[in-house]
Structure formats: structure tokens, C-alpha cells
Amino acid sequence: MKHALVVGSTGVIGGAIARRLARAGDWRVTCATRGGSAPAGAQGLAVDLLDPASVRSAAAALAPVTHVFYAAYQHRPTRTEEVAPNLAMLRHAIDLGEAQPGALQRFVLVTGGKYYGLQWGAIKTPARETDPRHLGPNFYYAQQDHLAERAAAAGWTWSHLIPPYVTGFSERAPMNLVMAIGVLATLSREQGLPLRFPGPAASWNALHHLADADQIAAAAAWCATGATAANEIFNIANGDPGRWRNSWPVVAGHFDLATGEPMPVPLTQVAAELAPLWRRIAEREDLRQPDLHALVDWQWADYMFKTAFSNDVLFELGKIRRAGFGGCLDSEAALLGRFEELRQQRLIPRSR
């Protein structure tokens, strides 16, 4: 049986990968987290990937690993400060994969649109895997280079997936687009207001790709064993691009709300103002999280709606399709499914 070590399983992408592999039936799944937690069907491994002693201890207790799936991230105040810890975690994840010599077959790395420079502003579209890099700092470059060097030296292979904006579920990931929209819709309905898009006209009109976590997990599982995926970088997204001006009315309708003209309100101030209202809603509806600021990082949400979505973000998807992965999701249907997931988890109220 293949043995997967999933790093970042408390996040949106890593959690989706761990759950998919655990359901598959032909994988043994171990999730490396600081607390040793794991979803159903997987086992946990308590390890701090920034602590070499913790990594050595975990490696001694780890059964031979055939595949590593890496979707972890450490936030730091600046892009320069992000490089060292995120490279260290990847390096230590490789150490865990190589703990039993000769067992590791493939390492699947999942990064994101910052590989193309989204964090700096507008990028070339469509973004292709062969596009030249931009000037650093960019910790994704450091990770990719280290990964390729280690693989070449040891004889195993790697795959690298690059999704754009991600939708999915994780209670421990407050940088979560689906959660932010679900909360805004709940607060709007409570006050009898239309659901307004909280960004400027540029974000309302720009073309963008979305990648649902389940789509990324399917691609990661394919990468792990596909011969054509060895030592390759692939873009991954749901399918066709969309615009919020087209998708937003669909989202509003799902919550039985009208839509209004876009209004780029400061979400950090909105959250501060409406935190008491959310607490009352949570108590009345028996929701699991009454703290509005624990659900969503509102500064991040402000950045997403006002800045990140303000330029076209289109990824070339031909390479992964030609290589053999043909998965495709309808982004609007995936979004609506995620809202239902939040309802089932009692994080937003059930529909009335």
C-alpha cells in the first residue's frame, strides 16, 4: 500500500488531499501537524517542522513514506521574511519523506498564484508554467529549487501544482474566501440588505480562475502516480474563468438575497461593527463559532476583494490536460456546495 505523508492537512488544500486519499482505500495516510490531528481514515504525526529536534523525533517513529503531499504555509510580515521559514518547513518535510532510505517515490508540492507574482499586482495572462520568474523575494522559488535539487540527488521525482484563488473548507484557515462570503451573506440577510460585492468595479469586472480544494486534491492524487507528471510543474484550476459580476447574483440567490451595486466597504471596520450582531446570530442559531474574527481574517478578505481580484488572473490549463488530467468543475456549483458545507458544519445558519 502507498503511504502518503500530508503536510498542511489543517488547511483548505492539505485537508482536501488528506480526505481524498483516506477515502480512496489504497493509501495509508499520515498527517503531519503540530498537534498530531488527522481527519477520519488517517493517522496523525505530531511534529513542528520548524524544530529540527522535533523532526528527528518524528522521523524515528514514521513508517516508510512513498509519497509526500506538501501544502503548508507560514505567514510572516514581509515577503522577505517568508522565505526562511517556508523553505525550512519544506526541507524538513523532505527529511521526513527520506527518513527510510529508498522508500520515497514522489513529492507533490502545491504552491499558488504568488508563483507568478500576484502579490505584486497585475500579471501576464494567461500565465504559463514556462513564464520567466520575476525578481525575488518569492519563497515558492526557493521551495521549487530546493525540491528539484533534493530529488535529483536522491533519485525520487516531484510534481508541482499551481492553483489560483482557492475555495474550500477548513475551520483552521481564516484566510478563506468561502467563509468570508458566507458570513457577509448571513449578516446582510439579518439586516434585510442586498448582498453587495465588497470590492471596486475593477474586481467586479475582471476575469479570474478559481480552484476548488477538491479539484486540487484530485490533481494531486493524479500527480502522485502519473508517469507524465514526474518532474513537471502544472497549473490547476476548475475550468473556464468567470467574473464576479456574473457569479455574484448566483451566490446572492443561493442565500435568497437581492444584489446591489458593488460597494468597496472596509471589511475590517464592518467586522468590528458587526461582531456583536454575529454573536447574537450564533447564539440564536446554535452556531459553533460566535467570534466573527476567528472565522475570517478580515484584513486578508479586504485585500482579496479590493486588490487581488482587481486584475485578470487567467492560467493556461493546457499542459495538465495534455499530460492526462482532465478533471473539470463548475466554479459556481462548487461555490454553492461549499456554502452548504458551512451550513452542515454549523458555521453559518441553515437556509430558512
Side-chain angles (χ1 to χ4, degrees), residues 243-281:
R243 303 181 197 271
W244 281 117
R245 74 182 188 205
N246 298 326
S247 299
W248 200 257
V250 176
V251 172
H254 187 72
F255 289 93
D256 296 321
L257 292 170
T259 57
E261 290 298 313
M263 181 175 290
V265 294
L267 292 179
T268 53
Q269 295 180 45
V270 169
E273 173 74 16
L274 297 182
L277 175 60
W278 180 263
R279 187 170 294 276
R280 292 195 295 272
I281 295 171

PDB file of all heavy atoms in Angstrom, residues 243-281:
ATOM      1  N   ARG A 243     -16.360  35.948 -14.019  1.00  0.00           N
ATOM      2  CA  ARG A 243     -16.316  37.309 -13.480  1.00  0.00           C
ATOM      3  C   ARG A 243     -17.288  37.370 -12.311  1.00  0.00           C
ATOM      4  O   ARG A 243     -18.372  36.771 -12.362  1.00  0.00           O
ATOM      5  CB  ARG A 243     -16.726  38.343 -14.531  1.00  0.00           C
ATOM      6  CG  ARG A 243     -15.916  38.350 -15.805  1.00  0.00           C
ATOM      7  CD  ARG A 243     -16.424  39.443 -16.756  1.00  0.00           C
ATOM      8  NE  ARG A 243     -15.969  39.238 -18.116  1.00  0.00           N
ATOM      9  CZ  ARG A 243     -14.827  39.722 -18.609  1.00  0.00           C
ATOM     10  NH1 ARG A 243     -14.031  40.444 -17.840  1.00  0.00           N
ATOM     11  NH2 ARG A 243     -14.486  39.476 -19.861  1.00  0.00           N
ATOM     12  N   TRP A 244     -16.940  38.117 -11.283  1.00  0.00           N
ATOM     13  CA  TRP A 244     -17.832  38.227 -10.133  1.00  0.00           C
ATOM     14  C   TRP A 244     -19.165  38.867 -10.524  1.00  0.00           C
ATOM     15  O   TRP A 244     -20.194  38.565  -9.929  1.00  0.00           O
ATOM     16  CB  TRP A 244     -17.161  39.029  -9.019  1.00  0.00           C
ATOM     17  CG  TRP A 244     -16.165  38.220  -8.237  1.00  0.00           C
ATOM     18  CD1 TRP A 244     -14.830  38.427  -8.137  1.00  0.00           C
ATOM     19  CD2 TRP A 244     -16.449  37.053  -7.454  1.00  0.00           C
ATOM     20  NE1 TRP A 244     -14.246  37.469  -7.344  1.00  0.00           N
ATOM     21  CE2 TRP A 244     -15.215  36.614  -6.911  1.00  0.00           C
ATOM     22  CE3 TRP A 244     -17.605  36.328  -7.169  1.00  0.00           C
ATOM     23  CZ2 TRP A 244     -15.129  35.489  -6.089  1.00  0.00           C
ATOM     24  CZ3 TRP A 244     -17.518  35.209  -6.347  1.00  0.00           C
ATOM     25  CH2 TRP A 244     -16.296  34.802  -5.825  1.00  0.00           C
ATOM     26  N   ARG A 245     -19.161  39.740 -11.514  1.00  0.00           N
ATOM     27  CA  ARG A 245     -20.419  40.384 -11.904  1.00  0.00           C
ATOM     28  C   ARG A 245     -21.433  39.354 -12.407  1.00  0.00           C
ATOM     29  O   ARG A 245     -22.643  39.587 -12.351  1.00  0.00           O
ATOM     30  CB  ARG A 245     -20.170  41.455 -12.963  1.00  0.00           C
ATOM     31  CG  ARG A 245     -19.870  40.936 -14.345  1.00  0.00           C
ATOM     32  CD  ARG A 245     -19.595  42.068 -15.319  1.00  0.00           C
ATOM     33  NE  ARG A 245     -19.481  41.582 -16.687  1.00  0.00           N
ATOM     34  CZ  ARG A 245     -18.805  42.204 -17.631  1.00  0.00           C
ATOM     35  NH1 ARG A 245     -18.151  43.331 -17.339  1.00  0.00           N
ATOM     36  NH2 ARG A 245     -18.751  41.715 -18.856  1.00  0.00           N
ATOM     37  N   ASN A 246     -20.948  38.201 -12.896  1.00  0.00           N
ATOM     38  CA  ASN A 246     -21.824  37.127 -13.337  1.00  0.00           C
ATOM     39  C   ASN A 246     -22.118  36.122 -12.228  1.00  0.00           C
ATOM     40  O   ASN A 246     -23.231  35.595 -12.133  1.00  0.00           O
ATOM     41  CB  ASN A 246     -21.202  36.393 -14.532  1.00  0.00           C
ATOM     42  CG  ASN A 246     -21.006  37.300 -15.727  1.00  0.00           C
ATOM     43  OD1 ASN A 246     -21.804  38.206 -15.971  1.00  0.00           O
ATOM     44  ND2 ASN A 246     -19.938  37.072 -16.472  1.00  0.00           N
ATOM     45  N   SER A 247     -21.130  35.850 -11.392  1.00  0.00           N
ATOM     46  CA  SER A 247     -21.278  34.834 -10.343  1.00  0.00           C
ATOM     47  C   SER A 247     -21.970  35.362  -9.096  1.00  0.00           C
ATOM     48  O   SER A 247     -22.639  34.598  -8.381  1.00  0.00           O
ATOM     49  CB  SER A 247     -19.902  34.277  -9.959  1.00  0.00           C
ATOM     50  OG  SER A 247     -19.273  33.674 -11.054  1.00  0.00           O
ATOM     51  N   TRP A 248     -21.804  36.646  -8.807  1.00  0.00           N
ATOM     52  CA  TRP A 248     -22.324  37.194  -7.554  1.00  0.00           C
ATOM     53  C   TRP A 248     -23.845  37.072  -7.447  1.00  0.00           C
ATOM     54  O   TRP A 248     -24.360  36.691  -6.375  1.00  0.00           O
ATOM     55  CB  TRP A 248     -21.879  38.644  -7.379  1.00  0.00           C
ATOM     56  CG  TRP A 248     -21.955  39.124  -5.965  1.00  0.00           C
ATOM     57  CD1 TRP A 248     -22.914  39.933  -5.418  1.00  0.00           C
ATOM     58  CD2 TRP A 248     -21.035  38.820  -4.906  1.00  0.00           C
ATOM     59  NE1 TRP A 248     -22.652  40.153  -4.094  1.00  0.00           N
ATOM     60  CE2 TRP A 248     -21.500  39.486  -3.748  1.00  0.00           C
ATOM     61  CE3 TRP A 248     -19.877  38.056  -4.824  1.00  0.00           C
ATOM     62  CZ2 TRP A 248     -20.835  39.399  -2.525  1.00  0.00           C
ATOM     63  CZ3 TRP A 248     -19.214  37.965  -3.611  1.00  0.00           C
ATOM     64  CH2 TRP A 248     -19.691  38.634  -2.478  1.00  0.00           C
ATOM     65  N   PRO A 249     -24.617  37.340  -8.499  1.00  0.00           N
ATOM     66  CA  PRO A 249     -26.064  37.142  -8.389  1.00  0.00           C
ATOM     67  C   PRO A 249     -26.438  35.692  -8.102  1.00  0.00           C
ATOM     68  O   PRO A 249     -27.442  35.428  -7.431  1.00  0.00           O
ATOM     69  CB  PRO A 249     -26.588  37.595  -9.758  1.00  0.00           C
ATOM     70  CG  PRO A 249     -25.560  38.556 -10.255  1.00  0.00           C
ATOM     71  CD  PRO A 249     -24.244  37.999  -9.779  1.00  0.00           C
ATOM     72  N   VAL A 250     -25.655  34.740  -8.606  1.00  0.00           N
ATOM     73  CA  VAL A 250     -25.901  33.328  -8.316  1.00  0.00           C
ATOM     74  C   VAL A 250     -25.681  33.060  -6.832  1.00  0.00           C
ATOM     75  O   VAL A 250     -26.463  32.357  -6.174  1.00  0.00           O
ATOM     76  CB  VAL A 250     -24.983  32.435  -9.175  1.00  0.00           C
ATOM     77  CG1 VAL A 250     -25.163  30.961  -8.817  1.00  0.00           C
ATOM     78  CG2 VAL A 250     -25.258  32.665 -10.655  1.00  0.00           C
ATOM     79  N   VAL A 251     -24.599  33.628  -6.288  1.00  0.00           N
ATOM     80  CA  VAL A 251     -24.316  33.478  -4.858  1.00  0.00           C
ATOM     81  C   VAL A 251     -25.423  34.116  -4.033  1.00  0.00           C
ATOM     82  O   VAL A 251     -25.941  33.519  -3.072  1.00  0.00           O
ATOM     83  CB  VAL A 251     -22.950  34.106  -4.520  1.00  0.00           C
ATOM     84  CG1 VAL A 251     -22.730  34.147  -3.015  1.00  0.00           C
ATOM     85  CG2 VAL A 251     -21.820  33.335  -5.209  1.00  0.00           C
ATOM     86  N   ALA A 252     -25.819  35.331  -4.380  1.00  0.00           N
ATOM     87  CA  ALA A 252     -26.872  36.025  -3.632  1.00  0.00           C
ATOM     88  C   ALA A 252     -28.176  35.224  -3.669  1.00  0.00           C
ATOM     89  O   ALA A 252     -28.864  35.079  -2.646  1.00  0.00           O
ATOM     90  CB  ALA A 252     -27.093  37.426  -4.200  1.00  0.00           C
ATOM     91  N   GLY A 253     -28.505  34.687  -4.837  1.00  0.00           N
ATOM     92  CA  GLY A 253     -29.726  33.905  -4.953  1.00  0.00           C
ATOM     93  C   GLY A 253     -29.711  32.670  -4.082  1.00  0.00           C
ATOM     94  O   GLY A 253     -30.758  32.242  -3.575  1.00  0.00           O
ATOM     95  N   HIS A 254     -28.551  32.085  -3.891  1.00  0.00           N
ATOM     96  CA  HIS A 254     -28.432  30.917  -3.032  1.00  0.00           C
ATOM     97  C   HIS A 254     -28.822  31.237  -1.591  1.00  0.00           C
ATOM     98  O   HIS A 254     -29.302  30.375  -0.864  1.00  0.00           O
ATOM     99  CB  HIS A 254     -27.004  30.382  -3.083  1.00  0.00           C
ATOM    100  CG  HIS A 254     -26.803  29.092  -2.360  1.00  0.00           C
ATOM    101  ND1 HIS A 254     -27.284  27.898  -2.835  1.00  0.00           N
ATOM    102  CD2 HIS A 254     -26.171  28.805  -1.185  1.00  0.00           C
ATOM    103  CE1 HIS A 254     -26.953  26.922  -1.997  1.00  0.00           C
ATOM    104  NE2 HIS A 254     -26.284  27.451  -0.992  1.00  0.00           N
ATOM    105  N   PHE A 255     -28.589  32.490  -1.195  1.00  0.00           N
ATOM    106  CA  PHE A 255     -28.951  32.932   0.153  1.00  0.00           C
ATOM    107  C   PHE A 255     -30.289  33.677   0.173  1.00  0.00           C
ATOM    108  O   PHE A 255     -30.629  34.321   1.173  1.00  0.00           O
ATOM    109  CB  PHE A 255     -27.846  33.829   0.718  1.00  0.00           C
ATOM    110  CG  PHE A 255     -26.588  33.095   1.061  1.00  0.00           C
ATOM    111  CD1 PHE A 255     -25.541  32.994   0.139  1.00  0.00           C
ATOM    112  CD2 PHE A 255     -26.436  32.485   2.301  1.00  0.00           C
ATOM    113  CE1 PHE A 255     -24.377  32.310   0.459  1.00  0.00           C
ATOM    114  CE2 PHE A 255     -25.274  31.799   2.627  1.00  0.00           C
ATOM    115  CZ  PHE A 255     -24.249  31.707   1.701  1.00  0.00           C
ATOM    116  N   ASP A 256     -31.023  33.603  -0.935  1.00  0.00           N
ATOM    117  CA  ASP A 256     -32.321  34.288  -1.053  1.00  0.00           C
ATOM    118  C   ASP A 256     -32.188  35.790  -0.836  1.00  0.00           C
ATOM    119  O   ASP A 256     -33.021  36.424  -0.178  1.00  0.00           O
ATOM    120  CB  ASP A 256     -33.343  33.713  -0.057  1.00  0.00           C
ATOM    121  CG  ASP A 256     -33.660  32.251  -0.342  1.00  0.00           C
ATOM    122  OD1 ASP A 256     -33.759  31.894  -1.531  1.00  0.00           O
ATOM    123  OD2 ASP A 256     -33.779  31.469   0.617  1.00  0.00           O
ATOM    124  N   LEU A 257     -31.142  36.354  -1.416  1.00  0.00           N
ATOM    125  CA  LEU A 257     -30.873  37.779  -1.284  1.00  0.00           C
ATOM    126  C   LEU A 257     -30.879  38.448  -2.645  1.00  0.00           C
ATOM    127  O   LEU A 257     -30.505  37.840  -3.657  1.00  0.00           O
ATOM    128  CB  LEU A 257     -29.510  38.016  -0.619  1.00  0.00           C
ATOM    129  CG  LEU A 257     -29.377  37.609   0.848  1.00  0.00           C
ATOM    130  CD1 LEU A 257     -27.924  37.688   1.284  1.00  0.00           C
ATOM    131  CD2 LEU A 257     -30.246  38.498   1.730  1.00  0.00           C
ATOM    132  N   ALA A 258     -31.283  39.695  -2.660  1.00  0.00           N
ATOM    133  CA  ALA A 258     -31.110  40.522  -3.849  1.00  0.00           C
ATOM    134  C   ALA A 258     -29.659  40.989  -3.910  1.00  0.00           C
ATOM    135  O   ALA A 258     -28.902  40.855  -2.950  1.00  0.00           O
ATOM    136  CB  ALA A 258     -32.055  41.717  -3.784  1.00  0.00           C
ATOM    137  N   THR A 259     -29.278  41.529  -5.054  1.00  0.00           N
ATOM    138  CA  THR A 259     -27.941  42.108  -5.174  1.00  0.00           C
ATOM    139  C   THR A 259     -28.064  43.621  -5.360  1.00  0.00           C
ATOM    140  O   THR A 259     -29.066  44.120  -5.864  1.00  0.00           O
ATOM    141  CB  THR A 259     -27.186  41.520  -6.376  1.00  0.00           C
ATOM    142  OG1 THR A 259     -27.961  41.740  -7.560  1.00  0.00           O
ATOM    143  CG2 THR A 259     -26.951  40.039  -6.192  1.00  0.00           C
ATOM    144  N   GLY A 260     -27.032  44.323  -4.933  1.00  0.00           N
ATOM    145  CA  GLY A 260     -26.959  45.761  -5.151  1.00  0.00           C
ATOM    146  C   GLY A 260     -25.702  46.080  -5.934  1.00  0.00           C
ATOM    147  O   GLY A 260     -24.935  45.184  -6.293  1.00  0.00           O
ATOM    148  N   GLU A 261     -25.490  47.324  -6.206  1.00  0.00           N
ATOM    149  CA  GLU A 261     -24.276  47.732  -6.893  1.00  0.00           C
ATOM    150  C   GLU A 261     -23.062  47.434  -6.005  1.00  0.00           C
ATOM    151  O   GLU A 261     -23.149  47.519  -4.776  1.00  0.00           O
ATOM    152  CB  GLU A 261     -24.324  49.225  -7.216  1.00  0.00           C
ATOM    153  CG  GLU A 261     -25.327  49.586  -8.299  1.00  0.00           C
ATOM    154  CD  GLU A 261     -25.000  48.941  -9.628  1.00  0.00           C
ATOM    155  OE1 GLU A 261     -23.831  48.998 -10.042  1.00  0.00           O
ATOM    156  OE2 GLU A 261     -25.913  48.366 -10.243  1.00  0.00           O
ATOM    157  N   PRO A 262     -21.915  47.085  -6.609  1.00  0.00           N
ATOM    158  CA  PRO A 262     -20.709  46.853  -5.806  1.00  0.00           C
ATOM    159  C   PRO A 262     -20.390  48.065  -4.939  1.00  0.00           C
ATOM    160  O   PRO A 262     -20.575  49.208  -5.364  1.00  0.00           O
ATOM    161  CB  PRO A 262     -19.621  46.621  -6.855  1.00  0.00           C
ATOM    162  CG  PRO A 262     -20.354  46.166  -8.067  1.00  0.00           C
ATOM    163  CD  PRO A 262     -21.668  46.877  -8.049  1.00  0.00           C
ATOM    164  N   MET A 263     -19.935  47.802  -3.729  1.00  0.00           N
ATOM    165  CA  MET A 263     -19.558  48.878  -2.822  1.00  0.00           C
ATOM    166  C   MET A 263     -18.332  48.416  -2.034  1.00  0.00           C
ATOM    167  O   MET A 263     -18.431  47.521  -1.195  1.00  0.00           O
ATOM    168  CB  MET A 263     -20.698  49.228  -1.872  1.00  0.00           C
ATOM    169  CG  MET A 263     -20.366  50.359  -0.910  1.00  0.00           C
ATOM    170  SD  MET A 263     -21.795  50.844   0.096  1.00  0.00           S
ATOM    171  CE  MET A 263     -22.813  51.624  -1.163  1.00  0.00           C
ATOM    172  N   PRO A 264     -17.155  49.019  -2.287  1.00  0.00           N
ATOM    173  CA  PRO A 264     -15.920  48.575  -1.634  1.00  0.00           C
ATOM    174  C   PRO A 264     -15.805  49.051  -0.184  1.00  0.00           C
ATOM    175  O   PRO A 264     -14.998  49.906   0.154  1.00  0.00           O
ATOM    176  CB  PRO A 264     -14.824  49.174  -2.514  1.00  0.00           C
ATOM    177  CG  PRO A 264     -15.452  50.376  -3.135  1.00  0.00           C
ATOM    178  CD  PRO A 264     -16.912  50.040  -3.320  1.00  0.00           C
ATOM    179  N   VAL A 265     -16.631  48.474   0.673  1.00  0.00           N
ATOM    180  CA  VAL A 265     -16.618  48.846   2.085  1.00  0.00           C
ATOM    181  C   VAL A 265     -15.371  48.282   2.754  1.00  0.00           C
ATOM    182  O   VAL A 265     -14.835  47.246   2.340  1.00  0.00           O
ATOM    183  CB  VAL A 265     -17.883  48.334   2.801  1.00  0.00           C
ATOM    184  CG1 VAL A 265     -19.121  49.023   2.265  1.00  0.00           C
ATOM    185  CG2 VAL A 265     -18.006  46.823   2.672  1.00  0.00           C
ATOM    186  N   PRO A 266     -14.877  48.929   3.821  1.00  0.00           N
ATOM    187  CA  PRO A 266     -13.708  48.424   4.553  1.00  0.00           C
ATOM    188  C   PRO A 266     -14.128  47.255   5.446  1.00  0.00           C
ATOM    189  O   PRO A 266     -14.752  47.448   6.495  1.00  0.00           O
ATOM    190  CB  PRO A 266     -13.251  49.630   5.368  1.00  0.00           C
ATOM    191  CG  PRO A 266     -14.490  50.452   5.559  1.00  0.00           C
ATOM    192  CD  PRO A 266     -15.335  50.238   4.342  1.00  0.00           C
ATOM    193  N   LEU A 267     -13.802  46.047   5.047  1.00  0.00           N
ATOM    194  CA  LEU A 267     -14.307  44.872   5.749  1.00  0.00           C
ATOM    195  C   LEU A 267     -13.780  44.759   7.175  1.00  0.00           C
ATOM    196  O   LEU A 267     -14.451  44.190   8.035  1.00  0.00           O
ATOM    197  CB  LEU A 267     -13.960  43.612   4.954  1.00  0.00           C
ATOM    198  CG  LEU A 267     -14.702  43.473   3.618  1.00  0.00           C
ATOM    199  CD1 LEU A 267     -14.274  42.194   2.900  1.00  0.00           C
ATOM    200  CD2 LEU A 267     -16.210  43.481   3.817  1.00  0.00           C
ATOM    201  N   THR A 268     -12.592  45.274   7.435  1.00  0.00           N
ATOM    202  CA  THR A 268     -12.092  45.237   8.812  1.00  0.00           C
ATOM    203  C   THR A 268     -12.989  46.072   9.727  1.00  0.00           C
ATOM    204  O   THR A 268     -13.268  45.675  10.868  1.00  0.00           O
ATOM    205  CB  THR A 268     -10.646  45.748   8.873  1.00  0.00           C
ATOM    206  OG1 THR A 268     -10.570  47.035   8.239  1.00  0.00           O
ATOM    207  CG2 THR A 268      -9.697  44.783   8.178  1.00  0.00           C
ATOM    208  N   GLN A 269     -13.451  47.205   9.237  1.00  0.00           N
ATOM    209  CA  GLN A 269     -14.339  48.046  10.040  1.00  0.00           C
ATOM    210  C   GLN A 269     -15.745  47.450  10.118  1.00  0.00           C
ATOM    211  O   GLN A 269     -16.414  47.536  11.149  1.00  0.00           O
ATOM    212  CB  GLN A 269     -14.391  49.449   9.455  1.00  0.00           C
ATOM    213  CG  GLN A 269     -13.051  50.189   9.516  1.00  0.00           C
ATOM    214  CD  GLN A 269     -13.134  51.583   8.940  1.00  0.00           C
ATOM    215  OE1 GLN A 269     -14.073  52.326   9.223  1.00  0.00           O
ATOM    216  NE2 GLN A 269     -12.147  51.954   8.135  1.00  0.00           N
ATOM    217  N   VAL A 270     -16.200  46.846   9.030  1.00  0.00           N
ATOM    218  CA  VAL A 270     -17.500  46.177   9.042  1.00  0.00           C
ATOM    219  C   VAL A 270     -17.515  45.075  10.092  1.00  0.00           C
ATOM    220  O   VAL A 270     -18.458  44.939  10.876  1.00  0.00           O
ATOM    221  CB  VAL A 270     -17.807  45.592   7.647  1.00  0.00           C
ATOM    222  CG1 VAL A 270     -19.024  44.668   7.709  1.00  0.00           C
ATOM    223  CG2 VAL A 270     -18.057  46.710   6.641  1.00  0.00           C
ATOM    224  N   ALA A 271     -16.441  44.270  10.122  1.00  0.00           N
ATOM    225  CA  ALA A 271     -16.369  43.173  11.087  1.00  0.00           C
ATOM    226  C   ALA A 271     -16.343  43.685  12.514  1.00  0.00           C
ATOM    227  O   ALA A 271     -16.988  43.114  13.409  1.00  0.00           O
ATOM    228  CB  ALA A 271     -15.134  42.317  10.802  1.00  0.00           C
ATOM    229  N   ALA A 272     -15.617  44.769  12.761  1.00  0.00           N
ATOM    230  CA  ALA A 272     -15.574  45.333  14.106  1.00  0.00           C
ATOM    231  C   ALA A 272     -16.955  45.836  14.534  1.00  0.00           C
ATOM    232  O   ALA A 272     -17.378  45.651  15.682  1.00  0.00           O
ATOM    233  CB  ALA A 272     -14.550  46.462  14.159  1.00  0.00           C
ATOM    234  N   GLU A 273     -17.678  46.439  13.603  1.00  0.00           N
ATOM    235  CA  GLU A 273     -19.001  46.977  13.905  1.00  0.00           C
ATOM    236  C   GLU A 273     -20.025  45.870  14.146  1.00  0.00           C
ATOM    237  O   GLU A 273     -20.886  45.983  15.033  1.00  0.00           O
ATOM    238  CB  GLU A 273     -19.461  47.855  12.730  1.00  0.00           C
ATOM    239  CG  GLU A 273     -20.894  48.347  12.818  1.00  0.00           C
ATOM    240  CD  GLU A 273     -21.091  49.447  13.853  1.00  0.00           C
ATOM    241  OE1 GLU A 273     -20.081  50.046  14.282  1.00  0.00           O
ATOM    242  OE2 GLU A 273     -22.246  49.697  14.219  1.00  0.00           O
ATOM    243  N   LEU A 274     -19.943  44.797  13.364  1.00  0.00           N
ATOM    244  CA  LEU A 274     -20.994  43.790  13.382  1.00  0.00           C
ATOM    245  C   LEU A 274     -20.651  42.547  14.196  1.00  0.00           C
ATOM    246  O   LEU A 274     -21.438  41.591  14.224  1.00  0.00           O
ATOM    247  CB  LEU A 274     -21.343  43.386  11.950  1.00  0.00           C
ATOM    248  CG  LEU A 274     -21.913  44.501  11.071  1.00  0.00           C
ATOM    249  CD1 LEU A 274     -22.272  43.977   9.693  1.00  0.00           C
ATOM    250  CD2 LEU A 274     -23.132  45.147  11.727  1.00  0.00           C
ATOM    251  N   ALA A 275     -19.512  42.549  14.870  1.00  0.00           N
ATOM    252  CA  ALA A 275     -19.149  41.398  15.699  1.00  0.00           C
ATOM    253  C   ALA A 275     -20.217  41.078  16.750  1.00  0.00           C
ATOM    254  O   ALA A 275     -20.552  39.900  16.958  1.00  0.00           O
ATOM    255  CB  ALA A 275     -17.787  41.614  16.346  1.00  0.00           C
ATOM    256  N   PRO A 276     -20.800  42.080  17.448  1.00  0.00           N
ATOM    257  CA  PRO A 276     -21.867  41.756  18.418  1.00  0.00           C
ATOM    258  C   PRO A 276     -23.096  41.150  17.746  1.00  0.00           C
ATOM    259  O   PRO A 276     -23.726  40.242  18.313  1.00  0.00           O
ATOM    260  CB  PRO A 276     -22.181  43.114  19.051  1.00  0.00           C
ATOM    261  CG  PRO A 276     -20.940  43.929  18.864  1.00  0.00           C
ATOM    262  CD  PRO A 276     -20.404  43.505  17.530  1.00  0.00           C
ATOM    263  N   LEU A 277     -23.445  41.627  16.561  1.00  0.00           N
ATOM    264  CA  LEU A 277     -24.581  41.060  15.843  1.00  0.00           C
ATOM    265  C   LEU A 277     -24.310  39.604  15.489  1.00  0.00           C
ATOM    266  O   LEU A 277     -25.197  38.745  15.625  1.00  0.00           O
ATOM    267  CB  LEU A 277     -24.870  41.877  14.583  1.00  0.00           C
ATOM    268  CG  LEU A 277     -25.962  41.321  13.658  1.00  0.00           C
ATOM    269  CD1 LEU A 277     -27.291  41.226  14.390  1.00  0.00           C
ATOM    270  CD2 LEU A 277     -26.087  42.182  12.395  1.00  0.00           C
ATOM    271  N   TRP A 278     -23.117  39.322  15.029  1.00  0.00           N
ATOM    272  CA  TRP A 278     -22.786  37.941  14.706  1.00  0.00           C
ATOM    273  C   TRP A 278     -22.891  37.045  15.945  1.00  0.00           C
ATOM    274  O   TRP A 278     -23.390  35.916  15.853  1.00  0.00           O
ATOM    275  CB  TRP A 278     -21.387  37.836  14.109  1.00  0.00           C
ATOM    276  CG  TRP A 278     -21.056  36.409  13.767  1.00  0.00           C
ATOM    277  CD1 TRP A 278     -20.355  35.515  14.521  1.00  0.00           C
ATOM    278  CD2 TRP A 278     -21.473  35.692  12.597  1.00  0.00           C
ATOM    279  NE1 TRP A 278     -20.298  34.291  13.907  1.00  0.00           N
ATOM    280  CE2 TRP A 278     -20.983  34.375  12.723  1.00  0.00           C
ATOM    281  CE3 TRP A 278     -22.212  36.040  11.463  1.00  0.00           C
ATOM    282  CZ2 TRP A 278     -21.205  33.404  11.743  1.00  0.00           C
ATOM    283  CZ3 TRP A 278     -22.435  35.074  10.494  1.00  0.00           C
ATOM    284  CH2 TRP A 278     -21.937  33.779  10.634  1.00  0.00           C
ATOM    285  N   ARG A 279     -22.439  37.537  17.072  1.00  0.00           N
ATOM    286  CA  ARG A 279     -22.524  36.739  18.299  1.00  0.00           C
ATOM    287  C   ARG A 279     -23.979  36.414  18.629  1.00  0.00           C
ATOM    288  O   ARG A 279     -24.299  35.287  19.022  1.00  0.00           O
ATOM    289  CB  ARG A 279     -21.835  37.469  19.452  1.00  0.00           C
ATOM    290  CG  ARG A 279     -21.730  36.658  20.733  1.00  0.00           C
ATOM    291  CD  ARG A 279     -20.833  37.344  21.746  1.00  0.00           C
ATOM    292  NE  ARG A 279     -19.454  37.406  21.295  1.00  0.00           N
ATOM    293  CZ  ARG A 279     -18.580  36.409  21.450  1.00  0.00           C
ATOM    294  NH1 ARG A 279     -18.952  35.282  22.033  1.00  0.00           N
ATOM    295  NH2 ARG A 279     -17.348  36.545  21.017  1.00  0.00           N
ATOM    296  N   ARG A 280     -24.868  37.380  18.429  1.00  0.00           N
ATOM    297  CA  ARG A 280     -26.289  37.119  18.703  1.00  0.00           C
ATOM    298  C   ARG A 280     -26.853  36.092  17.714  1.00  0.00           C
ATOM    299  O   ARG A 280     -27.646  35.219  18.093  1.00  0.00           O
ATOM    300  CB  ARG A 280     -27.084  38.433  18.621  1.00  0.00           C
ATOM    301  CG  ARG A 280     -26.747  39.423  19.733  1.00  0.00           C
ATOM    302  CD  ARG A 280     -27.789  40.520  19.839  1.00  0.00           C
ATOM    303  NE  ARG A 280     -27.850  41.372  18.651  1.00  0.00           N
ATOM    304  CZ  ARG A 280     -27.105  42.446  18.464  1.00  0.00           C
ATOM    305  NH1 ARG A 280     -26.210  42.799  19.387  1.00  0.00           N
ATOM    306  NH2 ARG A 280     -27.227  43.181  17.366  1.00  0.00           N
ATOM    307  N   ILE A 281     -26.445  36.200  16.442  1.00  0.00           N
ATOM    308  CA  ILE A 281     -26.887  35.226  15.446  1.00  0.00           C
ATOM    309  C   ILE A 281     -26.397  33.829  15.827  1.00  0.00           C
ATOM    310  O   ILE A 281     -27.141  32.839  15.765  1.00  0.00           O
ATOM    311  CB  ILE A 281     -26.379  35.608  14.044  1.00  0.00           C
ATOM    312  CG1 ILE A 281     -26.993  36.926  13.576  1.00  0.00           C
ATOM    313  CG2 ILE A 281     -26.668  34.495  13.037  1.00  0.00           C
ATOM    314  CD1 ILE A 281     -26.364  37.471  12.304  1.00  0.00           C
TER     315      ILE A 281
END
